[in-house]
Amino acid sequence: MSQITELRRAERRVFNASNRLSAALEELSNIATEIYGEDLQADLCGGGEIEFRRRGRDGYVDDYDYVRLEDIEKKIS
């Protein structure tokens, strides 16, 4: 296998993984929004943890205003 072929295959795997991650985060956002009662967007942070950011009326998320999974779980119990 040539290096170009190997490089392109690896690139496709990354794109596929990115698409699956985006879809999973969207699903997680929808479930969290339903439970929490506010419009939340799930985000995978640099340290590997998941945080949920509130989406404002303008449609933007506030990077400094987040909800943790534990806060969402408290809404259930």
Side-chain angles (χ1 to χ4, degrees):
M1 170 181 347
S2 74
Q3 287 182 320
I4 293 294
T5 303
E6 187 178 352
L7 178 68
R8 290 299 184 169
R9 282 185 181 172
E11 178 188 41
R12 274 195 307 274
R13 284 194 305 270
V14 169
F15 282 135
N16 289 337
S18 176
N19 288 337
R20 287 192 311 273
L21 176 60
S22 292
L25 286 171
E26 183 66 26
E27 179 184 8
L28 184 59
S29 297
N30 292 337
I31 295 168
T33 293
E34 184 178 319
I35 293 168
Y36 200 72
E38 291 184 42
D39 192 4
L40 300 176
Q41 180 175 335
D43 185 26
L44 186 62
C45 299
E49 68 274 1
I50 298 173
E51 293 179 343
F52 298 87
R53 308 215 184 277
R54 289 182 176 96
R55 189 183 318 269
R57 292 182 191 158
D58 57 5
Y60 294 102
V61 294
D62 184 346
D63 289 340
Y64 301 103
D65 184 17
Y66 62 90
V67 176
R68 294 188 180 273
L69 184 62
E70 292 81 12
D71 298 325
I72 298 169
E73 289 174 339
K74 286 179 187 174
K75 292 276 189 168
I76 297 172
S77 37

Coordinates of all heavy atoms in Angstrom, one line a residue:
M1 N 0.9 -1.2 0.0 CA 0.0 0.0 0.0 C 0.9 1.2 0.0 O 1.9 1.3 0.8 CB -0.9 0.0 1.2 CG -1.7 1.2 1.5 SD -2.7 1.3 2.9 CE -2.9 -0.3 3.6
S2 N 0.6 2.2 -0.9 CA 1.4 3.4 -0.9 C 1.1 4.3 0.3 O 0.1 4.2 0.9 CB 1.1 4.1 -2.2 OG -0.2 4.8 -2.2
Q3 N 2.0 5.2 0.5 CA 1.8 6.1 1.6 C 0.7 7.1 1.4 O 0.0 7.4 2.3 CB 3.1 6.9 1.8 CG 4.2 6.1 2.4 CD 5.5 7.0 2.6 OE1 5.8 7.8 1.8 NE2 6.1 6.8 3.8
I4 N 0.4 7.4 0.1 CA -0.8 8.3 -0.2 C -2.1 7.6 0.1 O -3.0 8.1 0.8 CB -0.7 8.7 -1.7 CG1 0.4 9.6 -2.0 CG2 -2.1 9.4 -2.1 CD1 0.4 11.0 -1.3
T5 N -2.2 6.3 -0.2 CA -3.3 5.5 0.1 C -3.5 5.4 1.6 O -4.6 5.5 2.1 CB -3.2 4.1 -0.6 OG1 -3.0 4.3 -2.0 CG2 -4.4 3.3 -0.3
E6 N -2.5 5.1 2.3 CA -2.5 5.0 3.7 C -3.0 6.3 4.4 O -3.8 6.3 5.3 CB -1.1 4.5 4.2 CG -1.1 4.2 5.7 CD 0.3 3.8 6.1 OE1 1.2 3.6 5.3 OE2 0.5 3.7 7.4
L7 N -2.4 7.4 3.9 CA -2.8 8.7 4.4 C -4.3 9.0 4.2 O -5.0 9.4 5.1 CB -1.9 9.8 3.7 CG -2.2 11.2 4.1 CD1 -1.8 11.5 5.5 CD2 -1.4 12.1 3.1
R8 N -4.8 8.7 3.0 CA -6.2 9.0 2.6 C -7.1 8.1 3.4 O -8.2 8.5 3.8 CB -6.4 8.8 1.1 CG -5.7 9.8 0.3 CD -6.3 11.2 0.6 NE -5.7 12.1 -0.3 CZ -6.2 13.4 -0.4 NH1 -7.2 13.8 0.3 NH2 -5.6 14.2 -1.3
R9 N -6.7 6.8 3.7 CA -7.6 6.0 4.5 C -7.7 6.5 5.9 O -8.7 6.5 6.5 CB -7.0 4.5 4.5 CG -7.4 3.8 3.2 CD -6.9 2.4 3.3 NE -7.2 1.7 2.1 CZ -6.8 0.5 1.8 NH1 -6.1 -0.2 2.7 NH2 -7.1 -0.1 0.7
A10 N -6.5 6.9 6.4 CA -6.5 7.5 7.8 C -7.4 8.7 7.9 O -8.1 9.0 8.8 CB -5.1 7.7 8.2
E11 N -7.3 9.5 6.8 CA -8.1 10.8 6.8 C -9.6 10.4 6.8 O -10.4 11.0 7.5 CB -7.7 11.6 5.5 CG -8.6 12.8 5.3 CD -8.4 13.5 4.0 OE1 -8.3 12.8 3.0 OE2 -8.3 14.7 4.0
R12 N -10.0 9.4 6.0 CA -11.4 9.0 5.9 C -11.9 8.5 7.3 O -13.0 8.8 7.7 CB -11.6 7.9 4.9 CG -11.9 8.5 3.5 CD -12.4 7.4 2.5 NE -11.6 6.2 2.5 CZ -10.6 6.0 1.7 NH1 -10.2 7.0 0.9 NH2 -9.9 4.9 1.7
R13 N -11.0 7.8 8.0 CA -11.4 7.3 9.3 C -11.6 8.4 10.3 O -12.5 8.4 11.1 CB -10.3 6.3 9.9 CG -10.3 5.0 9.2 CD -9.5 4.0 10.0 NE -8.1 4.4 10.2 CZ -7.1 4.1 9.4 NH1 -7.3 3.4 8.3 NH2 -5.9 4.5 9.6
V14 N -10.8 9.5 10.2 CA -10.9 10.6 11.1 C -12.3 11.3 10.7 O -13.0 11.7 11.6 CB -9.7 11.6 10.9 CG1 -10.0 12.9 11.6 CG2 -8.5 11.0 11.5
F15 N -12.5 11.6 9.5 CA -13.8 12.2 9.1 C -15.0 11.4 9.5 O -16.0 11.9 10.0 CB -13.9 12.4 7.6 CG -13.1 13.6 7.1 CD1 -12.3 13.5 6.0 CD2 -13.1 14.8 7.8 CE1 -11.5 14.6 5.5 CE2 -12.3 15.9 7.3 CZ -11.5 15.8 6.2
N16 N -14.9 10.1 9.4 CA -16.0 9.2 9.8 C -16.2 9.3 11.3 O -17.4 9.4 11.8 CB -15.8 7.8 9.4 CG -16.0 7.6 7.9 OD1 -16.6 8.4 7.2 ND2 -15.4 6.6 7.3
A17 N -15.1 9.2 12.1 CA -15.2 9.3 13.5 C -15.8 10.7 13.9 O -16.6 10.8 14.9 CB -13.8 9.1 14.1
S18 N -15.4 11.7 13.3 CA -15.9 13.1 13.6 C -17.4 13.2 13.3 O -18.1 13.8 14.1 CB -15.1 14.1 12.7 OG -15.6 15.4 12.9
N19 N -17.8 12.6 12.2 CA -19.3 12.6 11.9 C -20.1 11.8 13.0 O -21.1 12.3 13.4 CB -19.5 12.1 10.5 CG -19.1 13.0 9.4 OD1 -19.0 14.2 9.6 ND2 -18.8 12.4 8.3
R20 N -19.6 10.7 13.4 CA -20.2 9.9 14.4 C -20.3 10.6 15.7 O -21.3 10.6 16.5 CB -19.6 8.5 14.6 CG -19.9 7.6 13.4 CD -19.4 6.2 13.7 NE -18.1 6.0 14.2 CZ -17.0 5.9 13.5 NH1 -17.0 5.9 12.2 NH2 -15.8 5.8 14.1
L21 N -19.1 11.3 16.1 CA -19.1 12.1 17.3 C -20.1 13.2 17.3 O -20.8 13.5 18.3 CB -17.7 12.6 17.6 CG -17.5 13.5 18.8 CD1 -17.9 12.8 20.1 CD2 -16.1 14.0 18.8
S22 N -20.2 13.9 16.2 CA -21.1 15.1 16.0 C -22.6 14.6 16.2 O -23.4 15.2 16.9 CB -21.0 15.7 14.7 OG -19.7 16.4 14.6
A23 N -22.9 13.4 15.6 CA -24.2 12.9 15.7 C -24.5 12.5 17.2 O -25.6 12.7 17.7 CB -24.4 11.7 14.8
A24 N -23.6 11.9 17.8 CA -23.8 11.4 19.2 C -23.9 12.6 20.1 O -24.8 12.6 21.1 CB -22.6 10.5 19.7
L25 N -23.1 13.7 19.9 CA -23.3 14.9 20.7 C -24.6 15.6 20.5 O -25.2 16.1 21.5 CB -22.1 15.9 20.4 CG -20.8 15.5 21.0 CD1 -19.7 16.4 20.5 CD2 -20.8 15.5 22.5
E26 N -25.1 15.5 19.3 CA -26.4 16.1 19.0 C -27.5 15.3 19.7 O -28.4 15.9 20.3 CB -26.7 16.1 17.5 CG -28.0 16.8 17.1 CD -28.0 18.2 17.4 OE1 -27.0 18.9 17.4 OE2 -29.2 18.8 17.6
E27 N -27.4 14.0 19.7 CA -28.4 13.2 20.4 C -28.3 13.4 21.9 O -29.4 13.6 22.5 CB -28.1 11.7 20.1 CG -29.0 10.7 20.8 CD -28.7 9.3 20.6 OE1 -27.6 9.0 20.0 OE2 -29.5 8.4 21.0
L28 N -27.1 13.5 22.4 CA -27.0 13.8 23.9 C -27.5 15.2 24.2 O -28.2 15.3 25.2 CB -25.5 13.7 24.2 CG -25.1 13.9 25.7 CD1 -25.8 12.8 26.6 CD2 -23.6 13.8 25.8
S29 N -27.3 16.1 23.4 CA -27.9 17.5 23.6 C -29.4 17.4 23.6 O -30.0 18.1 24.5 CB -27.4 18.4 22.5 OG -26.1 18.6 22.4
N30 N -30.0 16.7 22.7 CA -31.5 16.7 22.7 C -32.0 16.0 23.9 O -33.0 16.5 24.5 CB -31.9 15.9 21.4 CG -31.6 16.6 20.2 OD1 -31.5 17.9 20.2 ND2 -31.5 15.9 19.1
I31 N -31.4 14.9 24.4 CA -31.9 14.2 25.6 C -31.7 15.1 26.8 O -32.6 15.3 27.6 CB -31.2 12.9 25.8 CG1 -31.5 12.0 24.6 CG2 -31.5 12.3 27.1 CD1 -30.6 10.7 24.6
A32 N -30.5 15.8 26.9 CA -30.3 16.7 28.1 C -31.2 17.8 28.1 O -31.7 18.3 29.1 CB -28.8 17.1 28.0
T33 N -31.5 18.4 26.9 CA -32.4 19.5 26.8 C -33.8 19.1 27.3 O -34.5 19.9 28.1 CB -32.5 20.0 25.4 OG1 -31.2 20.6 25.0 CG2 -33.6 21.1 25.2
E34 N -34.3 18.0 26.9 CA -35.6 17.5 27.3 C -35.7 17.3 28.8 O -36.6 17.7 29.5 CB -35.9 16.1 26.6 CG -37.3 15.6 26.9 CD -37.5 14.3 26.2 OE1 -37.1 14.2 25.0 OE2 -38.1 13.4 26.8
I35 N -34.6 16.7 29.4 CA -34.6 16.5 30.9 C -34.5 17.8 31.6 O -35.2 18.0 32.6 CB -33.4 15.5 31.2 CG1 -33.7 14.1 30.6 CG2 -33.3 15.4 32.7 CD1 -32.5 13.2 30.7
Y36 N -33.5 18.6 31.2 CA -33.2 19.8 32.0 C -34.2 20.9 31.8 O -34.3 21.8 32.7 CB -31.8 20.3 31.6 CG -31.1 21.1 32.7 CD1 -30.7 20.6 33.9 CD2 -30.9 22.5 32.4 CE1 -30.1 21.4 34.8 CE2 -30.4 23.3 33.4 CZ -29.9 22.8 34.6 OH -29.4 23.6 35.5
G37 N -34.8 21.0 30.7 CA -35.8 22.0 30.5 C -35.3 23.3 29.9 O -36.0 24.3 29.9
E38 N -34.0 23.3 29.5 CA -33.4 24.4 28.9 C -32.6 23.9 27.7 O -32.3 22.8 27.6 CB -32.3 25.1 29.8 CG -32.9 25.8 31.0 CD -31.9 26.5 31.8 OE1 -31.0 27.2 31.2 OE2 -31.9 26.5 33.1
D39 N -32.4 24.8 26.7 CA -31.7 24.4 25.5 C -30.3 24.3 25.7 O -29.6 25.2 26.0 CB -32.0 25.5 24.4 CG -31.6 25.0 23.0 OD1 -31.2 23.8 22.9 OD2 -31.7 25.8 22.0
L40 N -29.8 23.0 25.7 CA -28.4 22.7 26.1 C -27.7 22.1 24.8 O -28.3 21.4 24.1 CB -28.3 21.7 27.2 CG -28.9 22.1 28.5 CD1 -28.9 21.0 29.5 CD2 -28.3 23.4 29.1
Q41 N -26.4 22.4 24.7 CA -25.6 21.8 23.7 C -24.4 21.1 24.3 O -23.6 21.7 25.1 CB -25.0 22.9 22.8 CG -24.2 22.3 21.7 CD -23.7 23.4 20.7 OE1 -24.4 24.4 20.5 NE2 -22.6 23.2 20.0
A42 N -24.3 19.8 24.1 CA -23.2 19.0 24.6 C -22.0 19.3 23.9 O -21.9 19.5 22.6 CB -23.6 17.5 24.4
D43 N -20.9 19.4 24.6 CA -19.6 19.7 24.0 C -18.5 18.8 24.7 O -18.5 18.7 25.9 CB -19.3 21.2 24.3 CG -18.0 21.7 23.7 OD1 -17.6 21.2 22.7 OD2 -17.4 22.7 24.2
L44 N -17.7 18.3 23.9 CA -16.5 17.5 24.3 C -15.4 18.4 24.5 O -14.9 19.0 23.6 CB -16.2 16.4 23.4 CG -15.1 15.4 23.8 CD1 -15.6 14.6 25.0 CD2 -14.8 14.4 22.6
C45 N -14.9 18.6 25.8 CA -13.9 19.5 26.1 C -12.5 18.9 25.9 O -12.4 17.7 25.7 CB -14.0 20.0 27.5 SG -15.6 20.8 27.8
G46 N -11.5 19.8 26.0 CA -10.1 19.3 25.7 C -9.6 18.2 26.6 O -8.8 17.4 26.2
G47 N -10.1 18.2 27.8 CA -9.7 17.2 28.8 C -10.5 15.9 28.6 O -10.3 14.9 29.4
G48 N -11.4 15.8 27.7 CA -12.2 14.6 27.4 C -13.5 14.6 28.2 O -14.3 13.7 28.0
E49 N -13.8 15.6 29.0 CA -15.0 15.6 29.7 C -16.1 16.2 28.9 O -15.8 17.0 27.9 CB -14.9 16.3 31.1 CG -14.7 17.8 31.0 CD -13.3 18.2 30.9 OE1 -12.4 17.4 30.8 OE2 -13.0 19.4 30.8
I50 N -17.4 15.9 29.2 CA -18.5 16.4 28.4 C -19.1 17.5 29.3 O -19.4 17.3 30.5 CB -19.5 15.4 28.1 CG1 -18.9 14.3 27.2 CG2 -20.8 16.0 27.4 CD1 -19.8 13.1 26.9
E51 N -19.4 18.7 28.7 CA -20.1 19.7 29.4 C -21.3 20.1 28.5 O -21.3 19.9 27.3 CB -19.2 21.0 29.6 CG -18.1 20.7 30.6 CD -17.2 21.9 30.8 OE1 -17.2 22.8 30.0 OE2 -16.4 21.9 31.8
F52 N -22.3 20.7 29.1 CA -23.5 21.1 28.4 C -23.5 22.7 28.5 O -23.5 23.2 29.6 CB -24.7 20.5 29.0 CG -24.7 19.0 28.9 CD1 -24.1 18.2 29.9 CD2 -25.3 18.4 27.8 CE1 -24.1 16.9 29.8 CE2 -25.3 17.0 27.7 CZ -24.7 16.2 28.7
R53 N -23.6 23.3 27.4 CA -23.6 24.8 27.4 C -25.0 25.2 27.1 O -25.7 24.7 26.3 CB -22.7 25.3 26.4 CG -21.3 24.7 26.5 CD -20.2 25.7 26.2 NE -18.9 25.1 26.3 CZ -18.2 25.0 27.4 NH1 -18.7 25.4 28.6 NH2 -17.0 24.4 27.4
R54 N -25.5 26.3 27.8 CA -26.8 26.8 27.6 C -26.8 27.6 26.3 O -25.8 28.4 26.0 CB -27.2 27.7 28.7 CG -27.5 27.0 30.0 CD -28.0 28.0 31.1 NE -28.4 27.3 32.3 CZ -27.6 27.1 33.3 NH1 -26.3 27.5 33.3 NH2 -28.0 26.4 34.4
R55 N -27.8 27.5 25.5 CA -28.0 28.3 24.3 C -28.9 29.4 24.6 O -30.0 29.2 25.1 CB -28.5 27.4 23.1 CG -28.5 28.1 21.8 CD -29.1 27.2 20.7 NE -28.8 25.8 20.7 CZ -27.7 25.3 20.1 NH1 -26.9 26.0 19.4 NH2 -27.5 24.0 20.2
G56 N -28.5 30.6 24.3 CA -29.3 31.8 24.5 C -30.4 32.0 23.5 O -30.5 31.3 22.5
R57 N -31.2 33.0 23.7 CA -32.3 33.3 22.7 C -31.7 33.7 21.4 O -32.4 33.5 20.4 CB -33.1 34.5 23.3 CG -33.9 34.1 24.5 CD -34.8 35.2 24.9 NE -35.3 34.9 26.2 CZ -35.7 35.8 27.1 NH1 -35.7 37.1 26.8 NH2 -36.2 35.4 28.3
D58 N -30.5 34.2 21.3 CA -29.9 34.5 20.1 C -29.3 33.3 19.3 O -28.8 33.5 18.2 CB -28.8 35.6 20.3 CG -27.7 35.1 21.2 OD1 -27.7 33.9 21.7 OD2 -26.8 35.9 21.5
G59 N -29.4 32.1 19.9 CA -28.9 30.9 19.3 C -27.5 30.6 19.5 O -27.0 29.5 19.1
Y60 N -26.8 31.5 20.2 CA -25.4 31.2 20.6 C -25.2 30.6 21.9 O -26.1 30.8 22.8 CB -24.6 32.6 20.5 CG -24.5 33.2 19.2 CD1 -25.3 34.2 18.8 CD2 -23.6 32.7 18.2 CE1 -25.2 34.8 17.5 CE2 -23.6 33.2 16.9 CZ -24.4 34.3 16.6 OH -24.3 34.8 15.3
V61 N -24.1 29.8 22.1 CA -23.9 29.3 23.4 C -22.9 30.1 24.1 O -22.0 30.8 23.5 CB -23.3 27.8 23.3 CG1 -24.4 26.9 22.7 CG2 -22.1 27.7 22.5
D62 N -23.0 30.1 25.5 CA -22.1 30.9 26.3 C -21.0 29.9 26.8 O -21.3 29.0 27.5 CB -22.9 31.5 27.5 CG -22.0 32.4 28.4 OD1 -20.8 32.3 28.3 OD2 -22.6 33.1 29.2
D63 N -19.8 30.2 26.4 CA -18.6 29.3 26.7 C -18.4 29.3 28.2 O -17.8 28.3 28.7 CB -17.4 29.8 26.0 CG -17.4 29.5 24.6 OD1 -18.2 28.6 24.1 OD2 -16.6 30.1 23.8
Y64 N -18.8 30.2 29.0 CA -18.6 30.3 30.4 C -19.7 29.9 31.3 O -19.7 29.8 32.5 CB -18.1 31.7 30.8 CG -16.9 32.1 30.0 CD1 -17.0 33.0 29.0 CD2 -15.6 31.6 30.4 CE1 -15.8 33.4 28.3 CE2 -14.5 32.0 29.7 CZ -14.6 32.9 28.6 OH -13.5 33.2 27.9
D65 N -20.9 29.5 30.6 CA -22.0 29.1 31.3 C -22.4 27.7 31.0 O -22.8 27.4 29.9 CB -23.2 30.0 31.0 CG -24.5 29.7 31.8 OD1 -24.4 29.0 32.8 OD2 -25.5 30.2 31.3
Y66 N -22.0 26.7 31.8 CA -22.2 25.3 31.5 C -22.9 24.6 32.6 O -23.0 25.0 33.8 CB -20.9 24.7 31.1 CG -19.9 24.6 32.2 CD1 -19.9 23.6 33.1 CD2 -19.0 25.6 32.4 CE1 -18.9 23.5 34.1 CE2 -18.0 25.6 33.4 CZ -18.0 24.5 34.2 OH -17.1 24.5 35.2
V67 N -23.5 23.5 32.3 CA -24.2 22.6 33.2 C -23.4 21.2 33.1 O -23.1 20.8 32.0 CB -25.7 22.4 32.7 CG1 -26.4 21.4 33.6 CG2 -26.4 23.7 32.7
R68 N -23.3 20.6 34.3 CA -22.6 19.3 34.3 C -23.6 18.2 34.2 O -24.8 18.4 34.5 CB -21.8 19.2 35.6 CG -20.6 20.1 35.6 CD -19.7 19.8 36.8 NE -18.6 20.7 36.9 CZ -17.5 20.5 36.2 NH1 -17.3 19.5 35.5 NH2 -16.5 21.4 36.4
L69 N -23.2 17.0 33.8 CA -24.1 15.9 33.8 C -24.8 15.6 35.1 O -25.9 15.3 35.2 CB -23.3 14.6 33.3 CG -24.1 13.4 33.1 CD1 -25.1 13.6 32.0 CD2 -23.2 12.2 32.7
E70 N -24.0 15.8 36.2 CA -24.6 15.6 37.5 C -25.8 16.5 37.8 O -26.7 16.1 38.4 CB -23.5 15.8 38.6 CG -22.4 14.8 38.6 CD -21.3 15.1 37.5 OE1 -21.3 16.2 36.9 OE2 -20.5 14.2 37.2
D71 N -25.7 17.7 37.3 CA -26.8 18.7 37.4 C -28.1 18.2 36.7 O -29.2 18.3 37.2 CB -26.4 20.1 36.9 CG -25.3 20.7 37.7 OD1 -25.2 20.4 38.9 OD2 -24.4 21.4 37.0
I72 N -27.9 17.6 35.5 CA -29.0 17.1 34.7 C -29.6 15.9 35.4 O -30.8 15.7 35.5 CB -28.5 16.8 33.3 CG1 -28.0 18.0 32.6 CG2 -29.6 16.1 32.5 CD1 -27.3 17.8 31.3
E73 N -28.7 15.0 36.0 CA -29.2 13.8 36.7 C -30.0 14.2 37.9 O -31.0 13.5 38.2 CB -28.0 13.0 37.1 CG -27.3 12.3 36.0 CD -26.0 11.6 36.4 OE1 -25.4 11.9 37.5 OE2 -25.6 10.7 35.7
K74 N -29.7 15.3 38.6 CA -30.5 15.8 39.7 C -31.9 16.1 39.3 O -32.8 16.0 40.1 CB -29.8 17.0 40.4 CG -28.6 16.6 41.1 CD -27.9 17.9 41.7 CE -26.6 17.5 42.4 NZ -25.9 18.7 42.8
K75 N -32.1 16.6 38.1 CA -33.4 16.9 37.6 C -34.3 15.7 37.5 O -35.5 15.7 37.7 CB -33.4 17.6 36.3 CG -32.8 19.0 36.3 CD -33.8 20.0 36.7 CE -33.3 21.4 36.5 NZ -34.3 22.4 36.6
I76 N -33.7 14.5 37.3 CA -34.4 13.3 37.2 C -34.9 12.7 38.5 O -36.0 12.3 38.7 CB -33.6 12.2 36.4 CG1 -33.3 12.7 35.0 CG2 -34.3 10.9 36.4 CD1 -32.3 11.8 34.3
S77 N -34.0 12.9 39.5 CA -34.4 12.3 40.8 C -35.2 13.2 41.7 O -35.7 14.2 41.4 CB -33.1 11.9 41.6 OG -32.1 12.7 41.4

